[in-house]
Amino acid sequence: YALLGEAILDGRLSAGERLRDQELAERLGVSRTPVREALQRLERAGLVEVSPNRYTRVSTPSERVHADTHEFFIHLMGSAVRIALRRCSDDALAHTVDHADAIVAASRDDDHAAIMLASSRFFEHIVDDTDNVVFVRVMREAEIAIRRNLAGWHPYVECAVQRTAGYEEFRDAVTRRDGA
């Protein structure tokens, strides 16, 4: 699952490409059964489309999928931040603030890819700090789809100064454990 998901994310398996379980099994050096199970899991995550007896292929996310993923992720992560800030240790909080500082620095540099990477690391840390097994499970299952559907993301606030000020406010709220 992880190997095929990463191949979709990095473009080795491109949108629309047909996936044949026998060929994938041979390339990966495994039997067809784990490949079929991985393809079913990728289908549930929306990265693969299956039409029985016709094709299995890498899906092409629509604009709606991008928008819905963004909306879902914002709400999910807002909840994760509130829970994690209530529960995490002071050491974990300091690490979280370091991640928030990385987001601020990337925004200050107006580096959208670095903002996305720093945000991803921040939220991975936050999810772990929720100490909530359901959050952790949901994110592990959805992580590949979220990463793919948010690829190409760019900040809503184009002005680096305004955007950075917003990220600084966010970092300061995290420092105060203000999940709201």
Side-chain angles (χ1 to χ4, degrees), residues 24-58:
L24 292 169
E26 288 171 10
R27 277 200 315 200
L28 297 172
V30 298
S31 71
R32 290 171 64 182
T33 301
V35 170
R36 286 184 187 143
E37 290 171 1
L39 291 173
Q40 289 171 349
R41 194 170 162 198
L42 289 165
E43 179 188 20
R44 286 191 301 273
L47 276 73
V48 168
E49 299 172 319
V50 175
S51 180
N53 300 317
R54 293 188 54 217
Y55 60 79
T56 300
R57 66 182 177 206
V58 176

Side-chain angles (χ1 to χ4, degrees), residues 116-128:
M116 187 65 176
L117 180 61
S119 295
S120 176
R121 289 180 177 151
F122 175 88
F123 288 120
E124 182 179 314
H125 184 76
I126 281 292
V127 167
D128 288 341

